[in-house]
Each structure stands twice: as C-alpha cells, then as structure tokens.
Amino acid sequence: KKQSGNKAPQRIDPNEYSFFDPTTGAARVWYWRGENKLYEFYDAPGFQPRTGDKLLLITRDIIAEWKQASIPPPPPPRKPEPNNTSQSLEFLARSFVANHHRVSEGSPSDLLDYVQRTYAVDVDYYGTRITRQKVLEDQRKYVARWQQRSFRPIPEKTRIVCDVEQSFCDISEQLYFRAYNPADLKISAGITTHELRVLFSQGGPSIVSENGMVISRESSSAAVERVPQVQPVYVPQQTIPPEVLNGMLGMVFRGLRR
C-alpha cells in the first residue's frame, strides 16, 4: 500500500515534535499503542513496522492518555526502618537498671554517692514529691537497717518503654528480694515490684520517679505494703563502665538531632 508522498512513516520524539499544524490546527502525528500503554508516534500515516498494525491519527484524548501513562508510578512504600534511637535508649535503660541494682547492693558509701549523683533534685518517690536530700536520708536509714541485701529480677515481668521525643524510659519489674540484718538475725524476703522513670540527657541518666510495693512475703502474711527503701539488686554478668555509657548517650542524642 502506498503512503502519503511515498514516504515511510518515521518515528518522532513527541516532546520535540508538534502534534498539530500551527496554521490549520490539523493533526500531523500518527500513533501506535502497544501493550501496557506503550505509545509510538510517527510523522506520517502507515503501519507499525514490527506488528503491521495501522497507525492512527492523533487526537487530544490520546495525547492526554499518553501524558497520563508517562507519569512514573510512585515508588513502593519504604519499609519502616528500625528505630535505632529507641532501641539505643532501651539498651541504655537495661544497662542503667542493671548497674542501679549492683550499686544498691554494694557498700553504703557507694550507694549514697550514687544517690547524690543520679537522682534528680526533686523526685516522685513512692507516691510523694521529695528532694534528693530526703531520698539520701531514707536510703541511709535503710542500709543501716539491712546490711545484706539480695534481689533477683523475674525476666518475664520486666518491661521497658522509652519515649524518644522526651528522652526517658519507664522501667517496671518484679524481683525476688531478701534483706538480712546479721546483728539481730532478722530477715525480710518475698517478691516486690519496682518502677523507675529515668531521664537520659547529655549530662547523664537521672532518676525522676521511683515506686514499688511488696506483693508477697515468704512469711504467712501476704499483705501489700511499701517496698523496702533500697532498690532491688541484680548483679549482672557485665556492666557498662560510666565512660562507655556516657559515650552511648552522646550517640543517642546526636541521633535525636537528625
């Protein structure tokens, strides 16, 4: 079949070629549409050389369809990346509470120095807002009453929830406790809850809230009462040195500023 002017249709770049005659407004482009809305455009009537399909005269509707089909599909939704900052805070919280228990079981001087350095100036302490100095006095009385203290966490009862925006972690746990006074041979033992809110800042971790209750005793009494005034102690296999912990805090806060 002869084509207009015996000229074979040539493919054109639709972005560089005018679809319509600027003088008459007549269409001057022919098209072929394959599968998946694949368009080819030509400068003359004829047939698609590979399939033999007849080329069709362009219309405004076809131009609109081609432009719509040319818009790239949106990228697939990205899988949420693990919240490394949150995970880092949780790791810091676990390290902190392990060290907290270790120090609490140690010598009175180490414990009192720890309280002075780690508790906030004002603390929500077992339902009462008191100063750090009052916490210090309370801890001093307790270690004088119970010279030997042993606490073991119940793993399935430990829960840590961290707020990255506010840079704190809530730690709740249950522990087996045993406190002993060798002077009068008195023993206190049972299961206690223990709750901490720890604020992590560039200056170091700070306890802003603490609570807990004895929920059972080894004696016949199972009355719920206030937990002993020293924190449950767990001796971990390995604790993080303070200088390493401070370096990890720096990495967390650099992540928060990103």
Side-chain angles (χ1 to χ4, degrees):
K1 181 178 179 178
K2 292 185 178 181
Q3 300 174 6
S4 177
N6 295 323
K7 176 186 175 184
Q10 301 295 315
R11 283 191 65 175
I12 61 169
D13 182 352
N15 296 305
E16 303 292 336
Y17 197 90
S18 299
F19 287 106
F20 301 97
D21 189 296
T23 302
T24 65
R28 55 195 298 263
V29 172
W30 286 257
Y31 75 94
W32 172 82
R33 181 171 59 188
E35 296 179 357
N36 299 323
K37 294 187 178 181
L38 175 65
Y39 288 83
E40 292 180 2
F41 298 94
Y42 294 84
D43 63 356
F47 298 87
Q48 209 278 347
R50 295 187 305 277
T51 65
D53 296 335
K54 184 178 180 179
L55 303 179
L56 303 175
L57 191 64
I58 199 73
T59 66
R60 287 180 174 81
D61 289 341
I62 293 300
I63 295 173
E65 290 180 10
W66 162 69
K67 288 182 177 180
Q68 185 64 33
S70 299
I71 298 175
R78 294 179 61 184
K79 293 182 179 179
E81 297 180 357
N83 191 334
N84 293 327
T85 302
S86 177
Q87 292 177 358
S88 298
L89 276 179
E90 182 177 341
F91 179 78
L92 288 175
R94 292 187 182 279
S95 300
F96 174 85
V97 75
N99 183 67
H100 177 87
H101 296 336
R102 180 186 63 80
V103 174
S104 297
E105 191 179 37
S107 69
S109 60
D110 287 346
L111 173 57
L112 298 179
D113 177 67
Y114 171 81
V115 171
Q116 188 68 38
R117 290 184 293 103
T118 309
Y119 282 73
V121 175
D122 294 294
V123 186
D124 290 324
Y125 192 69
Y126 294 93
T128 305
R129 186 77 170 173
I130 63 174
T131 64
R132 179 170 52 208
Q133 186 61 35
K134 292 293 185 181
V135 176
L136 193 64
E137 293 171 5
D138 191 60
Q139 296 281 1
R140 185 180 287 113
K141 291 176 183 178
Y142 186 80
V143 295
R145 177 70 181 88
W146 301 107
Q147 289 85 7
Q148 297 180 16
R149 304 164 303 280
S150 175
F151 292 77
R152 295 294 179 269
I154 303 173
E156 63 271 19
K157 298 294 185 178
T158 299
R159 184 170 178 263
I160 298 177
V161 178
C162 296
D163 186 319
V164 175
E165 295 281 336
Q166 301 296 323
S167 302
F168 70 79
C169 291
D170 287 327
I171 305 165
S172 63
E173 55 188 347
Q174 290 185 17
L175 310 100
Y176 295 107
F177 74 90
R178 183 177 185 275
Y180 175 61
N181 186 337
D184 57 15
L185 304 182
K186 289 187 177 180
I187 296 175
S188 177
I191 298 177
T192 180
T193 65
H194 184 223
E195 299 172 359
L196 287 174
R197 172 167 288 188
V198 183
L199 178 65
F200 292 92
S201 67
Q202 290 182 323
S206 177
I207 296 173
V208 297
S209 177
E210 183 168 16
N211 210 338
M213 302 178 75
V214 173
I215 57 177
S216 68
R217 291 188 179 276
E218 290 185 358
S219 64
S220 58
S221 173
V224 176
E225 60 185 63
R226 185 181 176 193
V227 72
Q229 301 296 327
V230 67
Q231 304 321 310
V233 177
Y234 167 57
V235 181
Q237 294 182 351
Q238 182 177 3
T239 57
I240 299 180
E243 60 272 16
V244 176
L245 184 61
N246 289 336
M248 294 169 63
L249 280 169
M251 288 190 291
V252 169
F253 281 92
R254 285 194 292 272
L256 289 173
R257 291 195 296 268
R258 290 177 183 171

